[in-house]
Amino acid sequence: MQELMPETYKELCEVRRILEENYHDMLDIEFTIQDGKLYMLQCRVGKRTGVAALTMALDMLKEGLIDEKEVVMRLTPEQLDELLHPILDTADEKKHTVIAKGLPAGPGGAVGKIALTSEKAKEYRAAKVANVLVREETNPEDVEGMRAADGILTARGGMTSHAALVARGWGKCCIVGCDAVKIDLENGIVKIGDQQFKEGDTISLNGSKGWVYAEPVGMINATENPLFQQFMALVDKYRKMGVRTNADNPEDAQNAVNFGAEGIGLFRIEHMFYGKNSEEPLAKLRNMILANTTEERVAALNELEPYIKNAAKGTLKVLDGKPLTFRLMDPPLHEFVPHTEEKQRALAQERGISFEEIKKRIDALNEVNPMMGLRGVRLGIVYPEITETQFRALFQATAELMTEGFDPHLEIMVPLTINVKELEHQKAIADRVKAEVEAKFNVKIEYLYGTMIEIPRATLVADQIASVAQFFSFGTNDLTQMTFGFSRDDVNAIVKDYIEEKIIPADPFNTLDQEGVGQLVKLGVERGRGQRANLKCGVCGEHGGDPASVHFFYKAGLNYVSCSPFRVPVARLAAAQAAIEEER
Ligand code: PEP
Ligand code: MG
């Protein structure tokens, strides 16, 4: 064009310059030329990938076209997320057909051979073969297989199902609730939509969209962009709300700190009983669960205590100077005992008691609604020795670190609270144990005592609760479950239809239901701070890593959000954007 119509070309360049100067952005411009005359048809802000958005925003800052705050506003959280995970190459993706859709539970992309069991995934990993673990659903026994897999695809489960939580924690590509997946384990085949695959066939997952492909799709890796650091420094300059992480081991904690986490908002001690190195503590936990008398339980707890202490100590050490919120044990007990006769017989033999006796004890744990059963603080009220052990382990870990010259900032959090009496009950134990440990180590331990707010009732009586609790952490997974009356593990099918029928706008376990659950969060904050003006409030449900929810939490006045390590940069960006938007 420059050669054929030099004058019109110059004119077009000038119009482009004026438009871009006016819009302060890169534009997608449409024009036509008729009889040598230039007509401008339309212009709009040009679409771009995450890498391009980052590069352009920082270029425009250098050129003085936009200011720092605008740079922060220029990347969507989804674009930032793109930079953090290997993803399917969008251009190549377009050449393939989506064969099934599920829930986008863990971001990024994965291409690999189908593994139908955790054993197969581990086998592939050992042979350095990329693989996708395809399961009906996952349970704690699959954790090592999930770790070995490059991607995870499940037929059942919602956004807070086991697979989704674990995968998101690792930043691993994961699709759950993909009901087009039909597994025939016996014959080693799986049907996905209309197509049939054998174990070992290659498929591709787009975990950010929830899409499954029948063939290998190309991958790209955008993580090593040095502009990322520069951008995140600007994000933190304008961010007002804190960002913590949900982590329960030194590696994840370090990873999250590298991603900019300012502490741990949720340390789930139950994770010590899953996966690698879990055999020993799990055996002690089983002894505790299956104990028949208080003496038996105390004996099992005494053996468990050093494991809890070491778990807490290792992570407190990594966090040195940053807060760690330890959530008292909240395990669904039945998940930790064997359910098949074969395994129950093996356990009976191991423990030197009869199979009938073991079976009786396991059957006694059965609850019709375990999510509303003996979990959370209820466990500590019914069996105070369980909390006592945890307090002792935590205070000892803190005292040991102090004497070793570290700076532990321990916060202890009581789960599933419904009233202040529960907190008082557990606090009395904490006070006694703390005094004992302080005397033994000759140190003065400072810690914060707080609670999760995850049952609607707790938000209503938050003023009373705040008379004892020094902080609140909203557990929006359970708060959503209890407010909607939706089971977080089985609700997927209902939610899908509800969204299709436009009865609800989105999966409430993924993005906070601001209209309903959001009201409870606001009420909890207001009533809590009415009682204790400096009450620290945060959130540690999965919503802490969802950008739209982060905006809401900022407006609700929370001090911090806590999310999976890989969501930390996204949460930092969403928090900064919320602050800039408010100012504007
Ligand atoms: C919650 O309920 O939001 C929470 C963080 O606890 P968990 O997911 O462990 O029940
Ligand atoms: Mg909970």
Side-chain angles (χ1 to χ4, degrees):
M1 184 182 171
Q2 192 172 11
E3 280 169 25
L4 293 176
M5 319 173 187
E7 279 313 305
T8 328
Y9 176 76
K10 245 172 77 186
E11 198 188 341
L12 175 65
C13 287
E14 180 57 10
V15 174
R16 181 199 58 80
R17 190 190 61 75
I18 293 169
L19 282 172
E20 290 198 344
E21 237 174 60
N22 184 55
Y23 282 94
H24 303 273
D25 210 342
M26 180 274 285
L27 301 174
D28 169 349
I29 297 169
E30 289 182 21
F31 63 93
T32 189
I33 297 159
Q34 192 173 346
D35 299 331
K37 190 168 164 57
L38 174 70
Y39 295 90
M40 301 308 297
L41 301 179
Q42 72 169 14
C43 76
R44 59 194 159 191
V45 171
K47 294 255 182 299
R48 63 207 72 179
T49 64
V51 185
L54 180 71
T55 315
M56 279 186 204
L58 289 167
D59 272 357
M60 288 182 206
L61 176 70
K62 225 175 358 187
E63 289 165 13
L65 205 61
I66 57 176
D67 63 12
E68 288 180 348
K69 287 182 189 169
E70 185 56 29
V71 171
V72 172
M73 299 306 284
R74 281 292 164 92
L75 242 77
T76 64
E78 291 74 25
Q79 285 171 325
L80 185 69
D81 204 35
E82 248 177 58
L83 297 172
L84 299 170
H85 303 274
I87 53 169
L88 295 187
D89 179 352
T90 0
D92 194 34
E93 217 177 333
K94 286 194 185 117
K95 297 180 196 147
H96 299 268
T97 315
V98 177
I99 56 162
K101 289 183 182 176
L103 296 173
V111 180
K113 286 185 186 299
I114 293 176
L116 294 177
T117 60
S118 290
E119 283 62 43
K120 191 74 191 172
K122 286 188 269 184
E123 217 176 88
Y124 278 139
R125 164 62 38 145
K128 296 196 168 48
V129 174
N131 68 89
V132 174
L133 178 65
V134 182
R135 304 280 288 155
E136 191 66 32
E137 61 189 335
T138 66
N139 57 47
E141 283 167 14
D142 287 314
V143 167
E144 286 313 309
M146 295 168 74
R147 200 192 293 277
D150 295 84
I152 298 154
L153 173 63
T154 73
R156 299 189 55 216
M159 290 299 280
T160 57
S161 62
H162 177 264
L165 283 181
V166 173
R168 213 153 37 238
W170 293 333
K172 187 162 289 204
C173 171
C174 175
I175 298 174
V176 297
C178 183
D179 48 21
V181 170
K182 305 272 183 273
I183 300 170
D184 175 358
L185 253 187
E186 224 162 86
N187 296 306
I189 51 178
V190 54
K191 261 186 93 173
I192 308 178
D194 304 332
Q195 302 195 33
Q196 185 163 304
F197 300 85
K198 294 186 305 303
E199 192 162 50
D201 287 346
T202 299
I203 55 169
S204 304
L205 308 182
N206 179 335
S208 309
K209 293 261 169 58
W211 295 347
V212 185
Y213 296 93
E215 315 86 19
V217 176
M219 300 267 293
I220 51 173
N221 194 339
T223 42
E224 276 116 48
N225 193 338
L227 296 179
F228 175 75
Q229 301 300 341
Q230 197 188 334
F231 178 76
M232 292 312 291
L234 290 179
V235 163
D236 285 343
K237 187 165 167 187
Y238 296 101
R239 174 168 63 89
K240 294 181 187 152
M241 184 167 62
V243 176
R244 296 194 189 183
T245 191
N246 295 356
D248 18 67
N249 60 61
E251 296 78 45
D252 288 355
Q254 188 59 58
N255 204 1
V257 168
N258 296 344
F259 276 132
E262 295 157 311
I264 287 183
L266 175 62
F267 181 108
R268 289 177 170 109
I269 188 65
E270 305 78 63
H271 286 183
M272 182 171 79
F273 306 115
Y274 299 142
K276 217 162 68 187
N277 302 328
S278 65
E279 294 79 9
E280 286 182 20
L282 181 59
K284 317 284 177 212
L285 180 79
R286 278 188 174 152
N287 289 345
M288 178 204 96
I289 296 173
L290 297 172
N292 230 5
T293 62
T294 308
E295 290 69 38
E296 270 183 39
R297 198 163 25 257
V298 169
L301 282 163
N302 286 342
E303 287 187 21
L304 189 56
E305 193 183 296
Y307 292 93
I308 300 177
K309 188 196 77 181
N310 290 337
K313 189 175 171 184
T315 306
L316 273 167
K317 200 167 170 176
V318 167
L319 285 183
D320 196 27
K322 295 188 177 69
L324 180 153
T325 313
F326 182 101
R327 196 256 309 264
L328 294 178
M329 219 186 264
D330 182 11
L333 294 184
H334 64 100
E335 266 188 24
F336 294 99
V337 288
H339 291 288
T340 62
E341 182 175 329
E342 192 191 338
K343 287 186 179 166
Q344 288 179 357
R345 281 191 186 281
L347 183 64
Q349 200 169 21
E350 194 184 297
R351 302 193 70 224
I353 45 179
S354 71
F355 161 68
E356 288 69 28
E357 178 61 25
I358 279 284
K359 186 166 165 15
K360 197 174 91 197
R361 293 188 194 181
I362 290 177
D363 289 349
L365 292 170
N366 217 4
E367 292 175 303
V368 176
N369 283 320
M371 274 292 184
M372 297 197 233
L374 185 58
R375 50 179 289 231
V377 63
R378 297 161 201 176
L379 197 64
I381 305 274
V382 177
Y383 305 118
E385 54 275 16
I386 296 183
T387 13
E388 174 162 346
T389 300
Q390 295 176 81
F391 285 137
R392 187 169 302 108
L394 291 171
F395 292 136
Q396 288 203 13
T398 307
E400 286 180 15
L401 285 169
M402 286 167 75
T403 49
E404 290 163 24
F406 291 94
D407 182 20
H409 284 229
L410 177 66
E411 301 180 347
I412 300 180
M413 172 157 89
V414 177
L416 229 67
T417 306
I418 53 171
N419 76 18
V420 69
K421 292 249 162 54
E422 292 172 318
L423 289 185
E424 285 164 349
H425 179 284
Q426 302 284 286
K427 180 82 172 17
I429 304 174
D431 288 346
R432 173 168 54 79
V433 175
K434 184 164 92 83
E436 285 166 16
V437 175
E438 284 179 337
K440 183 173 162 198
F441 284 82
N442 195 23
V443 291
K444 179 101 196 74
I445 297 171
E446 301 286 344
Y447 82 106
L448 290 184
Y449 182 73
T451 182
M452 293 192 71
I453 300 286
E454 48 186 347
I455 294 198
R457 189 185 197 280
T459 66
L460 302 175
V461 296
D463 46 348
Q464 296 171 35
I465 290 181
S467 67
V468 174
Q470 294 169 296
F471 66 90
F472 283 178
S473 179
F474 288 87
T476 46
N477 302 335
D478 275 312
L479 193 58
T480 299
Q481 167 166 264
M482 308 278 183
T483 305
F484 277 81
F486 280 165
S487 157
R488 41 194 278 201
D489 294 315
D490 318 296
V491 77
N492 186 29
I494 303 172
V495 161
K496 230 159 117 186
D497 282 1
Y498 267 48
I499 294 172
E500 262 167 40
E501 293 296 328
K502 298 201 169 26
I503 292 170
I504 54 172
D507 183 343
F509 289 101
N510 191 20
T511 189
L512 189 86
D513 159 48
Q514 299 183 14
E515 187 182 51
V517 179
Q519 275 197 58
L520 293 175
V521 172
K522 280 190 183 161
L523 186 74
V525 173
E526 274 165 31
R527 294 206 171 157
R529 291 203 178 130
Q531 171 73 245
R532 185 189 289 268
N534 66 349
L535 182 78
K536 192 161 54 157
C537 294
V539 62
C540 63
E542 285 303 294
H543 304 91
D546 169 61
S549 311
V550 171
H551 277 247
F552 174 83
F553 294 134
Y554 175 74
K555 283 194 235 146
L558 295 199
N559 301 88
Y560 68 86
V561 294
S562 186
C563 57
S564 315
F566 278 89
R567 299 298 289 169
V568 166
V570 170
R572 283 159 70 197
L573 176 60
Q577 292 183 337
I580 294 171
E581 255 170 32
E582 185 193 43
E583 218 178 86
R584 283 178 172 179

